[in-house]
Amino acid sequence: MHLSIVVPCMNEQDVIPALVERLAAAIEPWKKDAEIILVDDGSSDGTWEAIQDACLHCANLVGVRLSANRGHQIALTAGLEAAKGERIMMLDADLQDPPELLSDMMLMMDRGYDVVYGRRIERQGETIFKRATAYLFYRLLNTMSDVPIPRDTGDFRLVSRKTLDAVLAMPERSRFIRGMFAWAGFRQIGIEYTRAPRTIGETKYPFRAMMRFAIDAMTSFSTKPLKLATRLSFASLGITALMAIYVAYSLILYQTAPGWASVVLAISFFSGVQLLTLGIMGEYIGRLYVEAKNRPLYFVSEELRDATPVTMRKSA
């Protein structure tokens, strides 16, 4: 197998026909040695039925159904582990990232690169809030991370087999796959493109999910948040000392005690610092707890290759 394309899907029944059509056209030059892997991440609609129907009409299609919803990054991992190609492309099912860019990515890999990732130069159809938070996220992530991660990139990329094997060898449960590829190294290059608006379905990344994703990204590749908590503790001690001097100065010169506003402000400030520090520590302790359980990342309940069911498997 020369080429694999991996697409995680979650409640994307309306997108599947257009997705398969465009992917089939994109792999046409490599059709005899290519596969398209659609991973159903525990969808609650007719996504799996749409994948089954598509398998009957596209010989290159492989369907993988997870036993429960495990999240985008785990579903993507399941597809990557199922991929057999020497080159593996990954993208989201919403078709905002153009699969037609495959030819250019393949050309760059022919020139010796191991990872060719898409860099968004424009985000069409997204709100100002979404664009602003994405802009801040990547810049804050690079500030906090111990590993430089390309800005304005997603999981849309083409990778070589040796790079993928290196990433799949990483055992962590809280996965931030684009960061894992950055950490793995090898020769990497970006291709700029304009991200299209979503025309079918709804986003699977509301604000809450984006916040969770951002926290996973920062705590997966950096201990700087812990160091920040330590610095905040020292800063609070310094401010406490200054306030003590101010109180003593007021008592001696003005014979007055500080008012309730300063007391409430001090209590609020130090309470906030303590809660932030505990929260940061809790994130890392929670990760230790999850890693220590060493549960499998996912279970596959059904798999289709050439429209033929395959027995269930699991992955650690």
Side-chain angles (χ1 to χ4, degrees), residues 234-294:
F234 281 113
S236 65
L237 288 174
I239 294 174
T240 303
L242 292 175
M243 292 186 69
I245 294 172
Y246 169 74
V247 170
Y249 180 78
S250 298
L251 287 172
I252 293 171
L253 294 186
Y254 302 106
Q255 300 297 317
T256 58
W260 67 270
S262 59
V263 174
V264 171
L265 180 63
I267 293 173
S268 300
F269 174 77
F270 294 118
S271 298
V273 170
Q274 291 171 354
L275 290 173
L276 176 62
T277 302
L278 289 173
I280 292 173
M281 294 176 64
E283 285 291 333
Y284 283 91
I285 292 171
R287 286 180 174 277
L288 291 175
Y289 170 70
V290 171
E291 296 291 339
K293 289 191 293 186
N294 199 32

Short mmCIF file of all heavy atoms in Angstrom, two decimals, residues 234-294:
data_model
loop_
_atom_site.label_atom_id
_atom_site.label_comp_id
_atom_site.label_asym_id
_atom_site.label_seq_id
_atom_site.Cartn_x
_atom_site.Cartn_y
_atom_site.Cartn_z
N PHE A 234 5.80 33.12 44.50
CA PHE A 234 6.82 34.08 44.95
C PHE A 234 6.32 35.51 44.80
O PHE A 234 6.56 36.37 45.65
CB PHE A 234 8.12 33.88 44.17
CG PHE A 234 8.94 32.72 44.67
CD1 PHE A 234 9.13 31.60 43.88
CD2 PHE A 234 9.52 32.75 45.94
CE1 PHE A 234 9.89 30.53 44.34
CE2 PHE A 234 10.28 31.69 46.40
CZ PHE A 234 10.46 30.57 45.60
N ALA A 235 5.61 35.77 43.68
CA ALA A 235 5.08 37.11 43.46
C ALA A 235 4.06 37.49 44.54
O ALA A 235 4.05 38.62 45.04
CB ALA A 235 4.42 37.21 42.08
N SER A 236 3.21 36.51 44.92
CA SER A 236 2.22 36.80 45.97
C SER A 236 2.89 37.06 47.30
O SER A 236 2.45 37.93 48.08
CB SER A 236 1.25 35.63 46.09
OG SER A 236 1.91 34.45 46.54
N LEU A 237 3.99 36.37 47.59
CA LEU A 237 4.73 36.62 48.82
C LEU A 237 5.32 38.03 48.81
O LEU A 237 5.33 38.73 49.82
CB LEU A 237 5.84 35.59 49.00
CG LEU A 237 5.40 34.16 49.37
CD1 LEU A 237 6.59 33.22 49.36
CD2 LEU A 237 4.72 34.15 50.73
N GLY A 238 5.83 38.44 47.65
CA GLY A 238 6.39 39.79 47.53
C GLY A 238 5.35 40.86 47.75
O GLY A 238 5.57 41.86 48.45
N ILE A 239 4.16 40.65 47.14
CA ILE A 239 3.08 41.63 47.30
C ILE A 239 2.60 41.65 48.75
O ILE A 239 2.27 42.72 49.30
CB ILE A 239 1.92 41.29 46.35
CG1 ILE A 239 2.37 41.48 44.89
CG2 ILE A 239 0.70 42.15 46.64
CD1 ILE A 239 1.37 41.04 43.87
N THR A 240 2.58 40.50 49.39
CA THR A 240 2.20 40.44 50.81
C THR A 240 3.16 41.27 51.67
O THR A 240 2.74 42.00 52.58
CB THR A 240 2.19 38.99 51.30
OG1 THR A 240 1.29 38.22 50.50
CG2 THR A 240 1.76 38.91 52.76
N ALA A 241 4.45 41.15 51.39
CA ALA A 241 5.44 41.91 52.15
C ALA A 241 5.25 43.42 51.95
O ALA A 241 5.31 44.20 52.90
CB ALA A 241 6.85 41.49 51.72
N LEU A 242 4.98 43.83 50.71
CA LEU A 242 4.75 45.25 50.44
C LEU A 242 3.50 45.76 51.15
O LEU A 242 3.48 46.89 51.68
CB LEU A 242 4.62 45.47 48.93
CG LEU A 242 5.90 45.25 48.10
CD1 LEU A 242 5.60 45.38 46.62
CD2 LEU A 242 6.97 46.24 48.51
N MET A 243 2.45 44.94 51.16
CA MET A 243 1.22 45.35 51.84
C MET A 243 1.44 45.46 53.35
O MET A 243 0.87 46.33 54.01
CB MET A 243 0.09 44.36 51.52
CG MET A 243 -0.36 44.42 50.06
SD MET A 243 -1.79 43.38 49.74
CE MET A 243 -3.05 44.26 50.65
N ALA A 244 2.27 44.57 53.91
CA ALA A 244 2.57 44.63 55.33
C ALA A 244 3.30 45.92 55.68
O ALA A 244 3.02 46.57 56.70
CB ALA A 244 3.40 43.42 55.74
N ILE A 245 4.22 46.31 54.80
CA ILE A 245 4.94 47.57 55.02
C ILE A 245 3.99 48.75 54.93
O ILE A 245 4.04 49.69 55.74
CB ILE A 245 6.08 47.71 53.98
CG1 ILE A 245 7.14 46.63 54.22
CG2 ILE A 245 6.70 49.10 54.05
CD1 ILE A 245 8.19 46.57 53.12
N TYR A 246 3.06 48.70 53.98
CA TYR A 246 2.09 49.78 53.82
C TYR A 246 1.18 49.92 55.05
O TYR A 246 0.91 51.02 55.53
CB TYR A 246 1.24 49.51 52.57
CG TYR A 246 0.04 50.42 52.45
CD1 TYR A 246 0.19 51.75 52.08
CD2 TYR A 246 -1.25 49.94 52.71
CE1 TYR A 246 -0.92 52.59 51.98
CE2 TYR A 246 -2.35 50.76 52.61
CZ TYR A 246 -2.18 52.10 52.25
OH TYR A 246 -3.26 52.92 52.16
N VAL A 247 0.74 48.76 55.57
CA VAL A 247 -0.12 48.78 56.75
C VAL A 247 0.62 49.37 57.95
O VAL A 247 0.09 50.21 58.71
CB VAL A 247 -0.63 47.36 57.07
CG1 VAL A 247 -1.33 47.33 58.43
CG2 VAL A 247 -1.58 46.88 55.98
N ALA A 248 1.87 48.93 58.15
CA ALA A 248 2.65 49.45 59.27
C ALA A 248 2.89 50.96 59.12
O ALA A 248 2.80 51.72 60.09
CB ALA A 248 3.99 48.70 59.35
N TYR A 249 3.18 51.37 57.88
CA TYR A 249 3.42 52.80 57.61
C TYR A 249 2.16 53.62 57.92
O TYR A 249 2.23 54.70 58.51
CB TYR A 249 3.83 52.95 56.14
CG TYR A 249 4.10 54.36 55.71
CD1 TYR A 249 5.31 54.99 56.03
CD2 TYR A 249 3.16 55.07 54.97
CE1 TYR A 249 5.55 56.29 55.63
CE2 TYR A 249 3.40 56.37 54.56
CZ TYR A 249 4.61 56.98 54.89
OH TYR A 249 4.86 58.27 54.51
N SER A 250 0.99 53.12 57.53
CA SER A 250 -0.27 53.82 57.77
C SER A 250 -0.56 53.94 59.26
O SER A 250 -1.02 54.97 59.76
CB SER A 250 -1.42 53.11 57.07
OG SER A 250 -1.22 53.09 55.68
N LEU A 251 -0.29 52.85 59.99
CA LEU A 251 -0.56 52.87 61.42
C LEU A 251 0.33 53.86 62.16
O LEU A 251 -0.10 54.55 63.08
CB LEU A 251 -0.37 51.46 61.99
CG LEU A 251 -1.47 50.43 61.65
CD1 LEU A 251 -1.04 49.05 62.11
CD2 LEU A 251 -2.79 50.82 62.29
N ILE A 252 1.58 53.93 61.73
CA ILE A 252 2.53 54.81 62.43
C ILE A 252 2.26 56.27 62.12
O ILE A 252 2.23 57.12 63.01
CB ILE A 252 3.97 54.43 62.06
CG1 ILE A 252 4.31 53.03 62.61
CG2 ILE A 252 4.97 55.45 62.60
CD1 ILE A 252 5.61 52.47 62.12
N LEU A 253 2.06 56.60 60.83
CA LEU A 253 1.95 58.00 60.44
C LEU A 253 0.54 58.56 60.53
O LEU A 253 0.33 59.72 60.89
CB LEU A 253 2.48 58.19 59.02
CG LEU A 253 3.99 57.93 58.82
CD1 LEU A 253 4.38 58.29 57.40
CD2 LEU A 253 4.83 58.74 59.81
N TYR A 254 -0.44 57.73 60.15
CA TYR A 254 -1.80 58.27 60.08
C TYR A 254 -2.72 57.74 61.17
O TYR A 254 -3.84 58.19 61.31
CB TYR A 254 -2.41 57.93 58.71
CG TYR A 254 -1.59 58.45 57.55
CD1 TYR A 254 -0.83 57.57 56.79
CD2 TYR A 254 -1.58 59.80 57.24
CE1 TYR A 254 -0.08 58.04 55.72
CE2 TYR A 254 -0.84 60.27 56.17
CZ TYR A 254 -0.08 59.39 55.41
OH TYR A 254 0.67 59.84 54.36
N GLN A 255 -2.25 56.79 61.94
CA GLN A 255 -3.05 56.21 63.01
C GLN A 255 -4.38 55.67 62.47
O GLN A 255 -5.42 55.78 63.12
CB GLN A 255 -3.31 57.25 64.11
CG GLN A 255 -2.06 57.79 64.77
CD GLN A 255 -1.27 56.73 65.50
OE1 GLN A 255 -1.86 55.90 66.19
NE2 GLN A 255 0.04 56.72 65.34
N THR A 256 -4.32 55.12 61.25
CA THR A 256 -5.54 54.56 60.65
C THR A 256 -5.26 53.14 60.18
O THR A 256 -4.12 52.80 59.80
CB THR A 256 -6.00 55.39 59.45
OG1 THR A 256 -4.94 55.45 58.49
CG2 THR A 256 -6.40 56.79 59.88
N ALA A 257 -6.26 52.36 60.19
CA ALA A 257 -6.15 50.99 59.69
C ALA A 257 -6.64 50.94 58.24
O ALA A 257 -7.49 51.75 57.85
CB ALA A 257 -7.00 50.05 60.54
N PRO A 258 -6.13 50.04 57.43
CA PRO A 258 -6.61 49.92 56.04
C PRO A 258 -8.11 49.62 56.01
O PRO A 258 -8.64 48.95 56.90
CB PRO A 258 -5.80 48.75 55.48
CG PRO A 258 -4.61 48.64 56.38
CD PRO A 258 -5.04 49.08 57.72
N GLY A 259 -8.77 50.10 54.99
CA GLY A 259 -10.21 49.90 54.86
C GLY A 259 -10.56 48.51 54.36
O GLY A 259 -9.70 47.71 54.01
N TRP A 260 -11.86 48.23 54.34
CA TRP A 260 -12.32 46.90 53.94
C TRP A 260 -11.99 46.59 52.49
O TRP A 260 -11.78 45.44 52.12
CB TRP A 260 -13.82 46.77 54.19
CG TRP A 260 -14.65 47.66 53.30
CD1 TRP A 260 -15.06 48.92 53.55
CD2 TRP A 260 -15.16 47.31 52.01
NE1 TRP A 260 -15.78 49.42 52.50
CE2 TRP A 260 -15.86 48.44 51.53
CE3 TRP A 260 -15.09 46.19 51.20
CZ2 TRP A 260 -16.49 48.47 50.30
CZ3 TRP A 260 -15.72 46.20 49.97
CH2 TRP A 260 -16.41 47.33 49.53
N ALA A 261 -11.92 47.62 51.64
CA ALA A 261 -11.67 47.39 50.21
C ALA A 261 -10.31 46.74 50.00
O ALA A 261 -10.16 45.78 49.22
CB ALA A 261 -11.75 48.69 49.45
N SER A 262 -9.29 47.25 50.70
CA SER A 262 -7.95 46.68 50.54
C SER A 262 -7.88 45.26 51.07
O SER A 262 -7.19 44.40 50.53
CB SER A 262 -6.92 47.57 51.24
OG SER A 262 -7.22 47.68 52.62
N VAL A 263 -8.64 45.01 52.17
CA VAL A 263 -8.66 43.66 52.73
C VAL A 263 -9.31 42.68 51.76
O VAL A 263 -8.78 41.59 51.49
CB VAL A 263 -9.41 43.65 54.09
CG1 VAL A 263 -9.56 42.21 54.60
CG2 VAL A 263 -8.68 44.50 55.11
N VAL A 264 -10.46 43.07 51.22
CA VAL A 264 -11.16 42.20 50.27
C VAL A 264 -10.30 41.97 49.02
O VAL A 264 -10.23 40.86 48.49
CB VAL A 264 -12.52 42.81 49.89
CG1 VAL A 264 -13.16 42.04 48.74
CG2 VAL A 264 -13.44 42.83 51.10
N LEU A 265 -9.64 43.04 48.57
CA LEU A 265 -8.79 42.92 47.39
C LEU A 265 -7.65 41.96 47.65
O LEU A 265 -7.33 41.10 46.80
CB LEU A 265 -8.23 44.30 47.01
CG LEU A 265 -7.31 44.35 45.80
CD1 LEU A 265 -8.07 43.91 44.55
CD2 LEU A 265 -6.74 45.75 45.61
N ALA A 266 -7.02 42.06 48.81
CA ALA A 266 -5.91 41.16 49.14
C ALA A 266 -6.37 39.72 49.22
O ALA A 266 -5.73 38.81 48.69
CB ALA A 266 -5.27 41.61 50.46
N ILE A 267 -7.51 39.50 49.91
CA ILE A 267 -8.02 38.14 50.04
C ILE A 267 -8.36 37.55 48.67
O ILE A 267 -8.04 36.40 48.37
CB ILE A 267 -9.26 38.12 50.95
CG1 ILE A 267 -8.85 38.48 52.39
CG2 ILE A 267 -9.94 36.76 50.92
CD1 ILE A 267 -10.02 38.64 53.33
N SER A 268 -9.00 38.34 47.82
CA SER A 268 -9.38 37.87 46.48
C SER A 268 -8.15 37.53 45.66
O SER A 268 -8.11 36.50 44.96
CB SER A 268 -10.21 38.94 45.77
OG SER A 268 -11.39 39.23 46.48
N PHE A 269 -7.13 38.40 45.75
CA PHE A 269 -5.92 38.17 44.95
C PHE A 269 -5.23 36.87 45.35
O PHE A 269 -4.92 36.02 44.51
CB PHE A 269 -4.96 39.35 45.12
CG PHE A 269 -3.63 39.14 44.45
CD1 PHE A 269 -3.48 39.28 43.08
CD2 PHE A 269 -2.52 38.79 45.20
CE1 PHE A 269 -2.26 39.08 42.46
CE2 PHE A 269 -1.29 38.57 44.59
CZ PHE A 269 -1.17 38.73 43.22
N PHE A 270 -5.00 36.70 46.66
CA PHE A 270 -4.27 35.52 47.11
C PHE A 270 -5.09 34.25 46.94
O PHE A 270 -4.54 33.18 46.66
CB PHE A 270 -3.81 35.70 48.55
CG PHE A 270 -2.80 36.80 48.72
CD1 PHE A 270 -3.06 37.91 49.50
CD2 PHE A 270 -1.58 36.74 48.05
CE1 PHE A 270 -2.15 38.93 49.63
CE2 PHE A 270 -0.65 37.75 48.18
CZ PHE A 270 -0.93 38.85 48.97
N SER A 271 -6.40 34.36 47.10
CA SER A 271 -7.26 33.20 46.86
C SER A 271 -7.18 32.78 45.40
O SER A 271 -7.13 31.59 45.08
CB SER A 271 -8.70 33.52 47.25
OG SER A 271 -8.81 33.81 48.62
N GLY A 272 -7.19 33.78 44.51
CA GLY A 272 -7.09 33.48 43.08
C GLY A 272 -5.77 32.81 42.73
O GLY A 272 -5.74 31.85 41.95
N VAL A 273 -4.68 33.31 43.30
CA VAL A 273 -3.36 32.71 43.05
C VAL A 273 -3.32 31.27 43.54
O VAL A 273 -2.83 30.36 42.86
CB VAL A 273 -2.25 33.55 43.71
CG1 VAL A 273 -0.91 32.80 43.67
CG2 VAL A 273 -2.11 34.89 43.02
N GLN A 274 -3.87 31.02 44.72
CA GLN A 274 -3.87 29.67 45.28
C GLN A 274 -4.70 28.72 44.43
O GLN A 274 -4.28 27.58 44.16
CB GLN A 274 -4.40 29.72 46.71
CG GLN A 274 -3.47 30.40 47.69
CD GLN A 274 -4.11 30.63 49.04
OE1 GLN A 274 -5.31 30.37 49.23
NE2 GLN A 274 -3.33 31.12 50.00
N LEU A 275 -5.88 29.17 44.03
CA LEU A 275 -6.74 28.31 43.21
C LEU A 275 -6.11 28.02 41.85
O LEU A 275 -6.20 26.91 41.33
CB LEU A 275 -8.12 28.96 43.04
CG LEU A 275 -8.99 29.01 44.29
CD1 LEU A 275 -10.24 29.83 44.03
CD2 LEU A 275 -9.36 27.61 44.75
N LEU A 276 -5.48 29.04 41.24
CA LEU A 276 -4.80 28.83 39.97
C LEU A 276 -3.68 27.83 40.11
O LEU A 276 -3.52 26.92 39.28
CB LEU A 276 -4.26 30.17 39.44
CG LEU A 276 -3.44 30.09 38.15
CD1 LEU A 276 -4.30 29.55 37.01
CD2 LEU A 276 -2.88 31.45 37.78
N THR A 277 -2.89 27.96 41.17
CA THR A 277 -1.79 27.03 41.40
C THR A 277 -2.30 25.61 41.60
O THR A 277 -1.78 24.65 41.03
CB THR A 277 -0.99 27.47 42.64
OG1 THR A 277 -0.51 28.80 42.44
CG2 THR A 277 0.20 26.54 42.87
N LEU A 278 -3.37 25.47 42.41
CA LEU A 278 -3.94 24.15 42.63
C LEU A 278 -4.52 23.57 41.34
O LEU A 278 -4.41 22.36 41.08
CB LEU A 278 -5.04 24.23 43.70
CG LEU A 278 -4.58 24.47 45.14
CD1 LEU A 278 -5.76 24.70 46.04
CD2 LEU A 278 -3.76 23.28 45.64
N GLY A 279 -5.12 24.44 40.53
CA GLY A 279 -5.68 23.97 39.25
C GLY A 279 -4.62 23.46 38.32
O GLY A 279 -4.78 22.41 37.67
N ILE A 280 -3.50 24.17 38.22
CA ILE A 280 -2.40 23.74 37.35
C ILE A 280 -1.84 22.41 37.83
O ILE A 280 -1.61 21.48 37.05
CB ILE A 280 -1.31 24.81 37.31
CG1 ILE A 280 -1.82 26.06 36.58
CG2 ILE A 280 -0.05 24.29 36.61
CD1 ILE A 280 -0.88 27.24 36.63
N MET A 281 -1.62 22.31 39.14
CA MET A 281 -1.12 21.05 39.70
C MET A 281 -2.12 19.92 39.47
O MET A 281 -1.73 18.78 39.17
CB MET A 281 -0.85 21.23 41.19
CG MET A 281 0.29 22.19 41.52
SD MET A 281 0.51 22.45 43.29
CE MET A 281 0.98 20.80 43.80
N GLY A 282 -3.41 20.24 39.59
CA GLY A 282 -4.43 19.23 39.37
C GLY A 282 -4.43 18.67 37.96
O GLY A 282 -4.65 17.48 37.75
N GLU A 283 -4.17 19.54 36.97
CA GLU A 283 -4.10 19.09 35.58
C GLU A 283 -3.00 18.04 35.40
O GLU A 283 -3.20 17.01 34.75
CB GLU A 283 -3.86 20.27 34.64
CG GLU A 283 -5.08 21.15 34.43
CD GLU A 283 -6.17 20.46 33.64
OE1 GLU A 283 -5.86 19.55 32.84
OE2 GLU A 283 -7.34 20.81 33.82
N TYR A 284 -1.85 18.29 35.97
CA TYR A 284 -0.74 17.36 35.83
C TYR A 284 -0.96 16.09 36.65
O TYR A 284 -0.65 14.98 36.19
CB TYR A 284 0.57 18.03 36.25
CG TYR A 284 1.11 18.98 35.20
CD1 TYR A 284 0.78 20.33 35.20
CD2 TYR A 284 1.94 18.51 34.18
CE1 TYR A 284 1.25 21.19 34.24
CE2 TYR A 284 2.43 19.37 33.21
CZ TYR A 284 2.09 20.70 33.23
OH TYR A 284 2.55 21.55 32.26
N ILE A 285 -1.53 16.22 37.85
CA ILE A 285 -1.82 15.04 38.66
C ILE A 285 -2.88 14.18 37.97
O ILE A 285 -2.80 12.95 37.96
CB ILE A 285 -2.30 15.46 40.06
CG1 ILE A 285 -1.14 16.11 40.82
CG2 ILE A 285 -2.82 14.26 40.85
CD1 ILE A 285 -1.54 16.75 42.13
N GLY A 286 -3.88 14.84 37.36
CA GLY A 286 -4.88 14.10 36.62
C GLY A 286 -4.29 13.31 35.47
O GLY A 286 -4.70 12.18 35.19
N ARG A 287 -3.30 13.88 34.81
CA ARG A 287 -2.64 13.17 33.72
C ARG A 287 -1.89 11.95 34.24
O ARG A 287 -1.89 10.89 33.61
CB ARG A 287 -1.67 14.10 33.00
CG ARG A 287 -2.39 15.11 32.12
CD ARG A 287 -1.40 16.02 31.42
NE ARG A 287 -2.13 16.87 30.50
CZ ARG A 287 -2.50 16.51 29.27
NH1 ARG A 287 -2.20 15.31 28.84
NH2 ARG A 287 -3.17 17.33 28.50
N LEU A 288 -1.23 12.11 35.39
CA LEU A 288 -0.54 10.97 35.99
C LEU A 288 -1.52 9.85 36.32
O LEU A 288 -1.25 8.66 36.13
CB LEU A 288 0.19 11.41 37.26
CG LEU A 288 1.39 12.34 37.06
CD1 LEU A 288 1.93 12.80 38.41
CD2 LEU A 288 2.50 11.66 36.27
N TYR A 289 -2.70 10.22 36.82
CA TYR A 289 -3.73 9.26 37.15
C TYR A 289 -4.20 8.49 35.92
O TYR A 289 -4.32 7.26 35.93
CB TYR A 289 -4.90 10.00 37.81
CG TYR A 289 -6.15 9.17 38.00
CD1 TYR A 289 -6.21 8.15 38.92
CD2 TYR A 289 -7.28 9.46 37.23
CE1 TYR A 289 -7.37 7.41 39.09
CE2 TYR A 289 -8.45 8.72 37.39
CZ TYR A 289 -8.48 7.70 38.34
OH TYR A 289 -9.63 6.97 38.49
N VAL A 290 -4.46 9.22 34.84
CA VAL A 290 -4.92 8.59 33.61
C VAL A 290 -3.85 7.68 33.03
O VAL A 290 -4.13 6.55 32.59
CB VAL A 290 -5.34 9.67 32.57
CG1 VAL A 290 -5.61 9.03 31.22
CG2 VAL A 290 -6.56 10.42 33.07
N GLU A 291 -2.60 8.14 33.01
CA GLU A 291 -1.51 7.34 32.46
C GLU A 291 -1.28 6.08 33.29
O GLU A 291 -0.98 5.02 32.76
CB GLU A 291 -0.23 8.16 32.39
CG GLU A 291 -0.28 9.36 31.46
CD GLU A 291 -0.34 8.97 29.98
OE1 GLU A 291 0.05 7.84 29.66
OE2 GLU A 291 -0.79 9.79 29.18
N ALA A 292 -1.43 6.20 34.63
CA ALA A 292 -1.16 5.07 35.51
C ALA A 292 -2.16 3.93 35.30
O ALA A 292 -1.82 2.75 35.47
CB ALA A 292 -1.18 5.52 36.96
N LYS A 293 -3.41 4.26 34.91
CA LYS A 293 -4.41 3.21 34.69
C LYS A 293 -4.06 2.35 33.47
O LYS A 293 -4.45 1.18 33.40
CB LYS A 293 -5.79 3.85 34.52
CG LYS A 293 -6.34 4.43 35.81
CD LYS A 293 -7.81 4.81 35.68
CE LYS A 293 -8.02 5.96 34.72
NZ LYS A 293 -9.43 6.41 34.71
N ASN A 294 -3.40 2.95 32.51
CA ASN A 294 -2.91 2.21 31.33
C ASN A 294 -4.02 1.46 30.60
O ASN A 294 -3.84 0.34 30.14
CB ASN A 294 -1.79 1.24 31.74
CG ASN A 294 -0.96 0.80 30.55
OD1 ASN A 294 -0.78 1.56 29.60
ND2 ASN A 294 -0.45 -0.42 30.60
#
